[in-house]
Amino acid sequence: MANFSDRLHDAIVRTAAPVVVGLDPRFESLPQTLLGDHRGTHDPKVKAGLYLVFCREVIDAVYQHVPAVKPQSAFFEELGPAGMIVLAEVIQYAREKGLLVILDAKRNDIGSTATAYAKGMLGPNSPWQADCLTISPYLGDDSLTPFVETAIANEAGLFCLVKTSNPGGKMLQDLVVDDQPIYRHVGAYVEGLAQQTRGNCGFGAVGAVVGATYPDQLSELRTAMPSTWFLVPGYGSQGGGAKDVAGGFNENGIGSIVNNSRGIIFAYSREPFASKYEPKQWQRAVEDATLEMIADLQEHTTAGKLKG
Amino acid sequence: MANFSDRLHDAIVRTAAPVVVGLDPRFESLPQTLLGDHRGTHDPKVKAGLYLVFCREVIDAVYQHVPAVKPQSAFFEELGPAGMIVLAEVIQYAREKGLLVILDAKRNDIGSTATAYAKGMLGPNSPWQADCLTISPYLGDDSLTPFVETAIANEAGLFCLVKTSNPGGKMLQDLVVDDQPIYRHVGAYVEGLAQQTRGNCGFGAVGAVVGATYPDQLSELRTAMPSTWFLVPGYGSQGGGAKDVAGGFNENGIGSIVNNSRGIIFAYSREPFASKYEPKQWQRAVEDATLEMIADLQEHTTAGKLKG
């Protein structure tokens, strides 16, 4: 174990792939060959069981290529306790395969309640055993510090929402105070936390979520937040491309880890993969889409410097 | 079933008690008589089993006096899947006793991910079966509307964070844009959602979280948000009293439901209850503390008009 920031850095350098595969199981999108006779089921336990199989097979297809996976808690919570049991199993399986696990749960609360979330979710001695958790900043500084303290005590990491990928994010995040949008104020606070939690790689264990759909702001924040890892959603299905995320990397090809969920895990249902593979070969589509994304980032961003 | 707002209104009028009991089980605070030989356990399943017993006994002590309970998801999540199984059982037990259940989970995400949270948690046909969920607004309008749509489809409710009870809440919430603090901007948006989801009682199914620790802002928001229910944390352990929450009620004694967690469920460990009752009578302390809070609100706020 080491500082989360250094573990993330080493895994990205080793794979030359600043990519995280988002595990967003949606029942209606699961491959038919996996659903079999259960297509019409309403039983959360049956659905959860299929999520486990699906996520394990996705992990098998990608673990040799990428540093991390990001389970989206919502899709497991949607199935009730049965989904939560499977979420823990998915995290454990990913860890066994050597992947870092970023649990996307956007948690937020104050004081000892925030500590309870962090204790439950972060580190190998916690019940959920995630390496990293996404958090949300509306409650302010004294809601973030309990997460930070527990994360550091467990050599885990955090990504705090700063500038999100959705159009409506502007409602609060782009309001201007003292000549700066709110996301810059939150970004400055997160950069301070990153500096306080810096590892040997120069980046902190507290990172920021910055969407690929706002490339100018991504570049602006990369400059303003030199010690902060960015978790970048919005590549692929949400419309962002490699050129849009290029600003998230520094001159050494470091600084961002770009998420792709549907574009990878359900690649079997889109071209060119849908024509290329039989339905039962959906795992090959997952692997191909992952390799395609890695090559795209290596070609169009400074992350190409990580190769060889 | 009916609009959540009307169900909340009717339950408050019936009990003359605008009080929600917060179910925040903390292992180290559980009554010794309940812990028995398990005091030193580190087994999440054992702890979760004790949380179930504790929460059921709290519910037994309060269900005839208050309209609602508010389980804090963090303390159940802290125990991993075992805690989540018990959370569902606690919600089910509270519903069987006729209580409304406000699940305090402060969820937030975008699009179909937000819908997944809402579908999983809200309404009698969902796995978690809560009547109402707390949500967080940093991601903006298109993150809130999926929650609202699913809540309305299931005759459930929401409380969105607006002005929270913690000191650090000011970091973002009090920043001023166009002569108004951010919490007024969020409040105006939530009031719009409340008006769109209004029940027969005149209040909407989308409410706001407004802390008892900022009485002036509570009064200000009551005036600015005439259709919005307030969920008011901060009474009791966080320092707010009945006079501090008085501004949250309109002239008819309606408009707020005030939360108390530790001050009720762990009343056995504080005066005057600690001296009054034997340790094994901790449930009587829970009931006494509840009745004392109801009387306090009836005496010092317009909620007194709801009596008899």
Side-chain angles (χ1 to χ4, degrees):
Chain A
M1 289 285 286
N3 184 301
F4 170 77
S5 175
D6 289 336
R7 291 192 287 140
L8 179 62
H9 178 268
D10 293 352
I12 288 174
V13 170
R14 175 175 53 77
T15 55
V19 169
V20 52
V21 174
L23 301 176
D24 292 24
R26 297 162 194 256
F27 191 72
E28 67 281 8
S29 300
L30 295 184
Q32 181 56 43
T33 53
L34 189 145
L35 285 175
D37 296 337
H38 298 298
R39 189 177 193 134
T41 188
H42 295 289
D43 183 339
K45 286 185 183 167
V46 173
K47 288 185 177 182
L50 292 165
Y51 282 13
L52 180 58
V53 173
F54 175 70
C55 290
R56 278 184 180 159
E57 297 198 5
V58 169
I59 289 165
D60 287 343
V62 304
Y63 80 93
Q64 292 177 298
H65 307 302
V66 299
V69 289
K70 181 176 75 65
Q72 170 52 258
S73 191
F75 296 109
F76 298 90
E77 294 188 45
E78 187 178 8
L79 300 183
M84 301 312 277
I85 292 167
V86 161
L87 173 60
E89 291 174 330
V90 168
I91 293 172
Q92 189 178 1
Y93 189 76
R95 283 169 47 82
E96 286 167 10
K97 291 293 183 180
L99 291 163
L100 293 171
V101 177
I102 301 168
L103 179 57
D104 194 355
K106 298 184 177 64
R107 293 299 191 259
N108 60 143
D109 216 298
I110 62 175
S112 57
T113 310
T115 302
Y117 276 130
K119 278 190 170 173
M121 292 175 173
L122 291 171
N125 299 318
S126 70
W128 300 104
Q129 299 188 28
D131 296 285
C132 186
L133 176 70
T134 58
I135 58 175
S136 188
Y138 188 73
L139 286 143
D141 46 14
D142 60 2
S143 75
L144 302 178
T145 44
F147 282 103
V148 175
E149 286 164 10
T150 302
I152 296 307
N154 291 282
E155 297 188 311
L158 299 164
F159 284 103
C160 180
L161 299 183
V162 171
K163 173 67 182 159
T164 60
S165 59
N166 58 314
K170 67 177 183 300
M171 179 177 129
L172 283 188
Q173 297 161 30
D174 288 7
L175 292 178
V176 175
V177 179
D178 296 338
D179 299 326
Q180 296 269 24
I182 295 285
Y183 70 79
R184 287 295 300 270
H185 293 268
V186 178
Y189 187 77
V190 171
E191 170 68 13
L193 296 173
Q195 290 178 9
Q196 290 166 33
T197 59
R198 197 152 33 193
N200 296 325
C201 67
F203 286 81
V206 182
V209 175
V210 185
T213 45
Y214 298 102
D216 294 344
Q217 287 84 343
L218 184 58
S219 296
E220 167 198 335
L221 289 169
R222 178 71 289 146
T223 305
M225 302 171 71
S227 306
T228 306
W229 281 109
F230 292 166
L231 171 63
V232 183
Y235 177 98
S237 299
Q238 286 184 53
K243 288 176 183 169
D244 297 313
V245 304
F249 297 90
N250 67 17
E251 66 279 12
N252 302 315
I254 297 293
S256 286
I257 183 162
V258 183
N259 181 72
N260 194 347
S261 303
R262 276 172 284 177
I264 286 178
I265 67 175
F266 301 131
Y268 78 94
S269 64
R270 67 175 172 96
E271 295 304 337
F273 311 106
S275 299
K276 193 171 170 188
Y277 294 114
E278 300 286 318
K280 67 181 178 187
Q281 297 175 298
W282 67 269
Q283 273 185 290
R284 293 186 62 183
V286 168
E287 185 172 16
D288 264 21
T290 304
L291 294 172
E292 184 184 78
M293 179 176 170
I294 294 169
D296 189 33
L297 292 180
Q298 288 177 342
E299 185 175 354
H300 294 105
T301 78
T302 54
K305 295 185 182 179
L306 302 174
K307 273 194 300 183
Chain B
M1 290 286 284
N3 184 301
F4 170 77
S5 176
D6 290 335
R7 290 192 288 140
L8 179 62
H9 179 269
D10 293 351
I12 288 174
V13 170
R14 175 174 52 77
T15 55
V19 169
V20 52
V21 175
L23 301 176
D24 292 23
R26 296 161 195 259
F27 191 71
E28 66 282 6
S29 301
L30 296 184
Q32 182 55 42
T33 53
L34 190 144
L35 285 175
D37 296 337
H38 298 299
R39 189 177 194 133
T41 187
H42 295 289
D43 183 339
K45 285 185 184 169
V46 172
K47 289 185 176 181
L50 292 166
Y51 282 13
L52 179 58
V53 173
F54 176 69
C55 290
R56 278 184 181 158
E57 297 198 6
V58 169
I59 289 166
D60 287 344
V62 305
Y63 79 92
Q64 292 178 298
H65 306 302
V66 299
V69 289
K70 181 177 74 65
Q72 170 50 259
S73 190
F75 296 107
F76 298 90
E77 294 186 46
E78 187 178 9
L79 300 183
M84 301 313 277
I85 292 166
V86 161
L87 173 60
E89 292 174 330
V90 168
I91 293 172
Q92 189 177 4
Y93 189 76
R95 282 169 47 82
E96 286 168 9
K97 292 292 184 180
L99 291 163
L100 293 171
V101 177
I102 300 168
L103 180 55
D104 195 355
K106 298 185 177 63
R107 293 298 192 259
N108 61 144
D109 216 297
I110 62 175
S112 56
T113 311
T115 301
Y117 276 129
K119 276 189 172 175
M121 292 175 172
L122 291 171
N125 299 319
S126 71
W128 301 103
Q129 300 189 27
D131 296 286
C132 186
L133 177 69
T134 58
I135 58 175
S136 189
Y138 188 74
L139 287 143
D141 46 13
D142 60 4
S143 75
L144 302 177
T145 44
F147 282 104
V148 176
E149 286 164 9
T150 302
I152 296 307
N154 291 283
E155 296 189 313
L158 299 165
F159 285 103
C160 180
L161 299 183
V162 171
K163 173 67 181 159
T164 60
S165 59
N166 57 315
K170 68 177 182 302
M171 179 178 129
L172 282 189
Q173 297 160 29
D174 288 7
L175 293 178
V176 174
V177 178
D178 296 339
D179 298 327
Q180 297 268 23
I182 295 285
Y183 70 78
R184 286 295 300 268
H185 292 269
V186 179
Y189 187 77
V190 171
E191 170 69 13
L193 296 174
Q195 291 179 9
Q196 291 166 32
T197 60
R198 197 151 32 195
N200 295 326
C201 68
F203 286 81
V206 182
V209 175
V210 185
T213 45
Y214 298 101
D216 294 343
Q217 287 84 342
L218 184 58
S219 296
E220 168 199 334
L221 290 169
R222 179 70 289 149
T223 304
M225 302 170 71
S227 306
T228 306
W229 281 109
F230 292 165
L231 172 63
V232 183
Y235 176 98
S237 299
Q238 286 186 53
K243 287 176 183 168
D244 296 314
V245 304
F249 296 91
N250 67 17
E251 67 278 14
N252 302 315
I254 297 292
S256 286
I257 183 161
V258 182
N259 181 72
N260 195 347
S261 302
R262 278 172 283 178
I264 285 178
I265 68 175
F266 301 130
Y268 79 95
S269 64
R270 68 176 172 97
E271 296 302 338
F273 312 107
S275 300
K276 193 170 171 188
Y277 295 114
E278 300 286 320
K280 68 181 179 186
Q281 297 175 299
W282 67 269
Q283 274 185 288
R284 292 187 60 184
V286 169
E287 185 172 16
D288 264 21
T290 304
L291 294 172
E292 183 183 79
M293 178 175 169
I294 293 169
D296 189 32
L297 293 180
Q298 288 177 343
E299 185 175 353
H300 295 105
T301 79
T302 54
K305 295 185 182 179
L306 302 175
K307 273 194 300 184

